[in-house]
Amino acid sequence: MHSLTDFRALCHRHRLAATHQRQVIYEAATSMIGHPSPEAIYDKVRKKVPSISLATVYKNIRTFLDSGLLQEVSLHHGSLRVESNHAPHHHLVCVRCRSIMDFDEAGLGRLQLRKLPRGFQVKRIAVDILGICRSCSSKGTRGGTRKA
Amino acid sequence: MHSLTDFRALCHRHRLAATHQRQVIYEAATSMIGHPSPEAIYDKVRKKVPSISLATVYKNIRTFLDSGLLQEVSLHHGSLRVESNHAPHHHLVCVRCRSIMDFDEAGLGRLQLRKLPRGFQVKRIAVDILGICRSCSSKGTRGGTRKA
DNA sequence: CTAGATGCAAACAGTTTGCGTCACT
DNA sequence: AGTGACGCAAACTGTTTGCATCTAG
């Protein structure tokens, strides 16, 4: 799907050096089914470039995320957050400071699912409304608060 | 809101010993605004029980999660997961093995937001459809696969 | 009295960083 | 040639575990 020259062009567009390691990491990340973790990518990459370092994989995944070449599946992969609100609700998540506010379920129209894969038993639906919270958008355009 | 006797009853109902530490941890977790991390709960609890250990806080949070007394804000707080699917889509998340499948945006009816708090600029909406995946529901009722 | 809870320290997993060397542009 | 990438090891953060002691039931 992505030839070497495609990858070089992609890197060029994003102002990144087109190294061999980067290409292999990128190919691994995009070709793996599901949503691989850095470790999983490392394992796959190692088969092609046995001398690669895990730190390089991490550094490049971060670089790709920052450039928008890849994304994170979820903003919630930091530390455990505890929820004690038993009422049905969703979350407003600030992409800048990662703060989380509750949002009553009634604030969202009815959700309807179509075309679910066979065999998947739905238990509940969690909606994250991603955006910039008030305190972050008032605090200049760059570099958020990074609070709880 | 929760008196000591309420807490004792709650513990009793869930077959947990009603210790002082547990009560203080529970009260901290439920009284804190937002969605506290174990560290944040620890900091608050320490003011009332200075001798408490962080391990005790972790153990009890886990106990509370297992008993359903508290919940996790998100199932995604493990390691970083990389997303390379640029098409708009949501996720089917298995609560048993935590596997993540993509779910095309078209499979979900239009979402409409009402009553957003002032100042929150919405960027996008991420929907997690939580349930039991096919492979887990076929594999007996207890103890999932815990795969990627 | 006994199962289970606590506290401590050590172990772990995931991720980041500092630094000397090497490669892309 | 110079900037930035690589690889290694060490540092860090968040979380779990083993074990001896203590406590609720």
Side-chain angles (χ1 to χ4, degrees), chain A residues 24 28 34 59 64 77 83 91 95 100 113 116 120 131 140 142:
Chain A
V24 177
K59 283 170 188 166
F64 291 153
H77 68 78
E83 171 77 79
H91 290 121
V95 299
I100 304 165
L113 296 174
L116 271 175
F120 192 93
R142 267 289 123 220

Side-chain angles (χ1 to χ4, degrees), chain B residues 108-127:
Chain B
L108 204 67
R110 258 277 151 265
L111 291 164
Q112 44 205 10
L113 296 175
R114 296 191 291 277
K115 302 192 295 186
L116 271 175
R118 280 184 318 109
F120 192 92
Q121 305 173 42
V122 175
K123 295 291 186 189
R124 69 188 179 86
I125 299 190
V127 177

Side-chain angles (χ1 to χ4, degrees), chain A residues 74 76-77 80-81 91 128, chain B residues 71-77 98 128:
Chain A
S74 160
H76 298 297
H77 68 78
L80 173 64
R81 293 310 181 87
H91 290 121
D128 280 352
Chain B
Q71 289 133 247
E72 305 183 38
V73 166
S74 160
L75 255 35
H76 298 297
H77 68 79
R98 308 219 162 183
D128 280 352

Side-chain angles (χ1 to χ4, degrees), chain B residues 55-67:
Chain B
T56 298
V57 172
Y58 269 103
K59 283 171 188 166
N60 281 310
I61 288 174
R62 184 128 312 275
T63 302
F64 291 152
L65 294 176
D66 291 346
S67 325

Side-chain angles (χ1 to χ4, degrees), chain A residues 7 22 53 66 71 90 102 107 137 142:
Chain A
F7 182 73
R22 270 192 189 150
S53 146
D66 291 346
Q71 289 134 248
H90 299 299
D102 287 358
S137 60
R142 267 289 123 220

